[in-house]
Amino acid sequence: MKQDHSFYFLLLLLFNLLLQSYSEKSNGVCVSPGGRFRPFLSEGKPPRSTRDLTLCRMYKRNTCCDVSHTHSALLSIRKLASTGEANQECLHLWEVLECSLCDPDVGVKPGPPVICASFCERVFRACADAYFSMDAINQVLSPCGVGDFVCGRASEWLHNGTELCRAAGFSVKTIRDAGLSVEGASCYGGQASLDSIADSWKRSQTSTSPNNVHNGLLEDFQQWVTEMPFAERVSWVVGGLVLTVGLFFMSKRKRHRQRQMQAAIIRAARIRQLDSKTDQRPSTTQGTRKAAVR
Ligand SMILES: *[C@@H]1O[C@H](CO)[C@@H](O)[C@H](O)[C@H]1NC(C)=O
């Protein structure tokens, strides 16, 4: 009888330990990613809710990021939009990529954000014609900025999405690494994380005040997301994100116009430069890449 008791006690203890280790795993603490990314202020603490993100607001309820992270992401997107000459789809996808850092699941894992290879391919396809440069100090690929002397189209510098994501300072999980399991359970940008973005939109929708201008749009968005096949869903999740940036851009429209003019001037200068280069340039793509890097 006494033995029975101690047996159950041991079982309970084991169960308790198991539960504890499991909950520690699922509710980790923020670990700074290193590399080109700024350290987290909330290092060693669990992801928390924050009000002052300037971008990636879908993570405002649960994130390791603070305003310094979203601000540098915002700068990156603005560079891509102006001097980078990126199209809308590229901008949307780059935003999702930059926001990976703020995903609570990403923030609690050490090392740079792990991005799904399929998502990187998508970014590469959309951004093939946008201009990027290589940061001389960090050796990191970033959108072409006003002060960058050497900028080239992504398609001229890089072969594929994996290369793009790695060059931009991210880690990439290929489908082979993921094995037979569904891609996205262990990397950012797969179906699982896009679904969780949609979920966090739903949550922030139900708790916002009635005068929130997004409300109608968000309802539509949520409904569409649930009805849509995956491929279309991706672009909708992405389109929805841009609403948050859109408002920010609107208040800065005047400055944006100045920037557009600046970009036009730079573009003209670059075209002239390219024109003088085309005369000597060989016609193979290999040659183009070399010419662009030089
Ligand atoms: C991407 O390009 C690199 C360099 O050419 C190559 O080594 C790598 O296998 C390619 N990856 C994929 C997924 O195509």
Side-chain angles (χ1 to χ4, degrees):
M1 194 70 177
K2 204 174 182 190
Q3 252 184 337
D4 262 10
H5 272 289
S6 55
F7 174 73
Y8 281 120
F9 179 73
L10 204 71
L11 209 69
L12 207 70
L13 195 75
L14 268 176
F15 183 71
N16 211 17
L17 278 175
L18 204 75
L19 210 70
Q20 211 174 346
S21 72
Y22 180 77
S23 67
E24 263 164 26
K25 229 178 239 170
S26 55
N27 305 316
V29 294
C30 299
V31 185
S32 292
R36 74 164 167 105
F37 305 99
R38 289 161 193 273
F40 290 133
L41 291 179
S42 50
E43 175 88 42
K45 294 177 202 145
R48 79 223 179 291
S49 151
T50 176
R51 291 194 154 270
D52 53 14
L53 298 185
T54 50
L55 192 76
C56 319
R57 295 227 178 94
M58 64 282 187
Y59 294 125
K60 70 177 181 189
R61 311 209 146 255
N62 191 23
T63 186
C64 293
C65 281
D66 54 75
V67 68
S68 73
H69 301 101
T70 55
H71 191 66
S72 64
L74 193 62
L75 286 180
S76 170
I77 293 162
R78 292 180 77 172
K79 273 206 288 184
L80 194 58
S82 53
T83 33
E85 298 177 22
N87 60 35
Q88 276 301 311
E89 196 193 353
C90 170
L91 290 177
H92 298 175
L93 291 170
W94 194 260
E95 182 181 349
V96 178
L97 183 64
E98 287 282 345
C99 285
S100 60
L101 190 64
C102 302
D103 183 322
D105 295 334
V106 171
V108 299
K109 290 190 191 109
V114 180
I115 316 293
C116 299
S118 59
F119 185 73
C120 292
E121 273 329 301
R122 231 187 137 85
V123 177
F124 181 68
R125 260 180 276 133
C127 298
D129 287 338
Y131 285 91
F132 290 87
S133 72
M134 210 71 184
D135 185 307
I137 300 161
N138 302 327
Q139 288 291 304
V140 169
L141 178 100
S142 61
C144 182
V146 176
D148 292 320
F149 289 110
V150 187
C151 292
R153 290 178 193 273
S155 55
E156 288 170 345
W157 290 45
L158 305 156
H159 298 94
N160 53 41
T162 301
E163 229 177 34
L164 174 85
C165 282
R166 293 223 167 104
F170 298 96
S171 228
V172 179
K173 182 143 221 159
T174 61
I175 297 162
R176 231 178 308 115
D177 294 342
L180 285 175
S181 69
V182 181
E183 194 197 30
S186 53
C187 55
Y188 177 89
Q191 182 160 14
S193 51
L194 291 177
D195 282 348
S196 86
I197 292 174
D199 279 351
S200 63
W201 269 70
K202 191 183 191 175
R203 256 178 280 132
S204 65
Q205 174 206 353
T206 49
S207 62
T208 44
S209 53
N211 62 358
N212 188 317
V213 284
H214 288 336
N215 259 2
L217 285 170
L218 270 169
E219 271 163 31
D220 289 348
F221 168 74
Q222 194 53 41
Q223 201 181 344
W224 286 35
V225 160
T226 47
E227 286 168 4
M228 256 183 200
F230 175 61
E232 286 168 52
R233 203 188 286 185
V234 172
S235 57
W236 252 97
V237 168
V238 164
L241 292 182
V242 171
L243 288 175
T244 55
V245 198
L247 280 185
F248 193 83
F249 272 122
M250 241 182 269
S251 65
K252 306 250 162 162
R253 194 179 276 173
K254 270 191 196 152
R255 271 173 65 190
H256 183 61
R257 247 184 240 135
Q258 285 175 347
R259 272 171 187 278
Q260 276 182 327
M261 270 172 59
Q262 226 173 13
I265 293 164
I266 289 159
R267 201 179 313 145
R270 190 159 44 207
I271 287 166
R272 239 173 284 132
Q273 255 182 342
L274 283 176
D275 277 348
S276 63
K277 266 183 192 163
T278 29
D279 303 333
Q280 321 131 8
R281 199 162 60 179
S283 58
T284 59
T285 49
Q286 193 68 24
T288 315
R289 192 175 314 117
K290 277 187 189 146
V293 173
R294 212 187 297 138

